[in-house]
């Protein structure tokens, strides 16, 4: 049953546990065959020190510049729901931003993060060859008001196949902690394949399909990156702390992946009542009957 009506505090308690804490590799130099095997079986790899302090500072400056309207061609921003931003500007406005997307063409500092040789090398190693970036996003989970990103698989949003050719990267720009809403993952969940997604608090896995007992939390230092399979179940609880939790999320696909159309996606993400994926939401594809969870 959906927990939505119980409110965000109860949802955070029931759907996320924080007693199993993952320890990331200390640096990209530590990625060895055992780490690759870990990715294959667990569906994720967390690595500290992929980016330097200077690169992280430059990325944060790039985000602030775009949010403040520094590039008039860039269309900003998705704000936290229910927050009135009409009289806000500068830092106060930035402190209410939930998400910005597709910014790489508008800021060289942010583009440099997505194309960084250290990052791209790890992406190629995991995907087994050349890859293209298909999406750039910043998730800012602001202090006190940052809301949950419910559990989901990213492949439910993307129109590429095969699904295991899609790789997410999530880069911490602030210390991502248990308190401010760092990533939670279900190790090995990618091996069970695509699961139905429903339009509830977001486009998400059904709350009862989340294997909360197996939740592992992945804190990261600024400059650390979580690499994760597009099939991995993952989510983030709300940020009720006073600290910021800015992150960049880039997705890459293997050059062997092909684009799908909506009906093809619906063959993969489906259940009795209809289409159980997120492409309608993410790509505004008309005509797919959306499954409703009762
Ligand atoms: O950064 C977050 O809070 C969650 C990001 C995420 O999983 C997503 O947007 O797909």
């Amino acid at each position: 049953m959906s927990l939505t009506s119980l409110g965000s505090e109860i949802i955070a308690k029931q759907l996320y546990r924080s007693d199993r804490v993952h320890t990331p590799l200390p640096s990209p130099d530590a990625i060895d065959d055992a780490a690759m095997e870990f990715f294959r079986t667990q569906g994720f790899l967390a690595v500290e020190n992929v980016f330097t302090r200077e690169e992280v500072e430059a990325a944060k400056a790039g985000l602030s510049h775009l949010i403040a309207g520094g590039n008039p061609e860039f269309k900003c921003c998705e704000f936290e729901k229910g927050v009135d931003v009409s009289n806000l500007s500068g830092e106060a406005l930035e402190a209410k931003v939930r998400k910005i997307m597709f910014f790489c063409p508008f800021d060289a500092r942010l583009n440099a993060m997505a194309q960084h040789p250290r990052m791209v090398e790890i992406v190629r190693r995991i995907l087994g060859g050349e890859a293209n970036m298909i999406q750039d996003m910043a998730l800012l989970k602001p202090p006190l008001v940052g809301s949950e990103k419910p559990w989901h698989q990213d492949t439910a949003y993307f129109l590429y196949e095969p699904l295991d050719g899609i790789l997410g990267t999530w880069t911490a720009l602030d210390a991502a902690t248990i308190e401010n809403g760092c990533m939670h993952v279900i190790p090995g969940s990618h091996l069970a394949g695509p699961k139905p997604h429903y339009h509830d608090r977001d486009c998400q896995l059904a709350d009862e399909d989340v294997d909360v007992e197996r939740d592992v939390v992945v804190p990261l230092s600024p400059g650390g990156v979580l690499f994760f399979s597009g099939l991995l179940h993952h989510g983030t609880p709300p940020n009720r702390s006073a600290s910021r939790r800015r992150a960049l999320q880039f997705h890459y696909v293997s050059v062997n992946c092909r684009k799908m159309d909506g009906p093809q996606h619906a063959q993969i993400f489906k259940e009795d009542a209809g289409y159980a994926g997120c492409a309608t939401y993410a790509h505004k594809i008309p005509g797919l009957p959306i499954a409703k969870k009762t």
Side-chain angles (χ1 to χ4, degrees), residues 137 139 141 149 152 154 170 181 183 228 234-236 245 247 249 251:
M137 199 187 250
L139 295 319
K141 187 95 72 185
K149 172 69 189 177
H152 64 285
D154 289 340
W170 189 95
M183 271 285 195
F228 60 105
H234 63 288
T236 62
R245 199 240 58 183
Q249 185 167 255
H251 281 89

Side-chain angles (χ1 to χ4, degrees), residues 149-165:
K149 172 69 189 177
W151 291 91
H152 64 285
Q153 297 173 300
D154 289 340
T155 45
Y157 287 79
F158 289 119
L159 296 171
Y160 285 91
E161 60 170 352
L163 302 185
D164 61 4

Side-chain angles (χ1 to χ4, degrees), residues 54-261:
E54 291 72 28
E55 288 160 348
V56 167
E57 289 308 315
K60 288 194 290 199
L63 287 176
S64 298
H65 176 75
L66 290 180
I67 292 168
N71 185 334
E73 285 170 29
F74 179 71
K75 192 178 162 312
C76 205
C77 295
E78 187 181 308
F79 296 99
E80 287 293 340
K81 279 202 187 76
V83 177
D84 180 9
V85 295
S86 49
N87 293 319
L88 301 181
S89 60
E91 279 176 27
L93 182 73
E94 185 170 335
K96 305 295 181 222
V97 176
R98 174 175 173 80
K99 167 160 126 179
I100 73 174
M101 289 181 79
F102 302 120
F103 43 72
C104 278
F106 300 95
D107 191 278
R109 294 163 286 198
L110 293 166
N111 192 42
M113 299 291 277
Q115 308 297 338
H116 199 293
R118 231 176 284 126
M119 171 93 119
V120 170
E121 168 58 22
I122 302 170
V123 169
R124 282 201 195 113
R125 217 162 142 185
I126 293 174
L127 287 177
E130 293 301 311
N132 294 316
M133 189 182 76
I134 54 163
Q135 190 180 79
D136 51 304
M137 199 187 250
L139 295 319
L140 304 192
K141 187 95 72 185
L144 307 176
V145 294
S147 54
E148 179 200 18
K149 172 69 189 177
W151 291 91
H152 64 285
Q153 297 173 300
D154 289 340
T155 45
Y157 287 79
F158 289 119
L159 296 171
Y160 285 91
E161 60 170 352
L163 302 185
D164 61 4
I166 301 175
L167 182 73
T169 70
W170 189 95
T171 301
L173 298 180
D174 301 299
T177 66
I178 291 170
E179 293 73 29
N180 69 11
C182 66
M183 271 285 195
H184 290 237
V185 302
I186 307 293
S189 53
H190 64 307
L191 298 175
K195 294 278 176 229
H197 282 61
Y198 302 94
H199 292 241
D200 190 351
R201 298 184 290 291
D202 200 332
C203 189
Q204 60 177 94
L205 291 163
D207 290 334
E208 67 263 34
D209 289 344
V210 179
D211 203 348
V212 184
E213 290 311 303
R214 290 168 55 212
D215 180 351
V216 166
V217 68
V218 191
L220 281 171
S221 309
V225 180
L226 173 68
F227 297 85
F228 60 105
S229 160
L231 285 161
L232 189 74
H233 298 195
H234 63 288
T236 62
N239 181 6
R240 294 288 176 256
S241 80
S243 65
R244 304 180 80 170
R245 199 240 58 183
R246 288 164 287 185
L248 297 176
Q249 185 167 255
F250 302 122
H251 281 89
Y252 302 82
V253 293
S254 157
V255 288
N256 299 322
C257 283
R258 291 173 308 275
K259 272 230 82 181
M260 279 185 263
D261 59 20

Side-chain angles (χ1 to χ4, degrees), residues 159 161 260-270 274-276 279-280 285-289:
L159 296 171
E161 60 170 352
M260 279 185 263
D261 59 20
Q264 285 167 327
H265 202 243
Q267 287 303 307
I268 298 173
F269 287 93
K270 63 174 188 283
Y275 175 54
T280 323
I285 294 179
L288 292 176

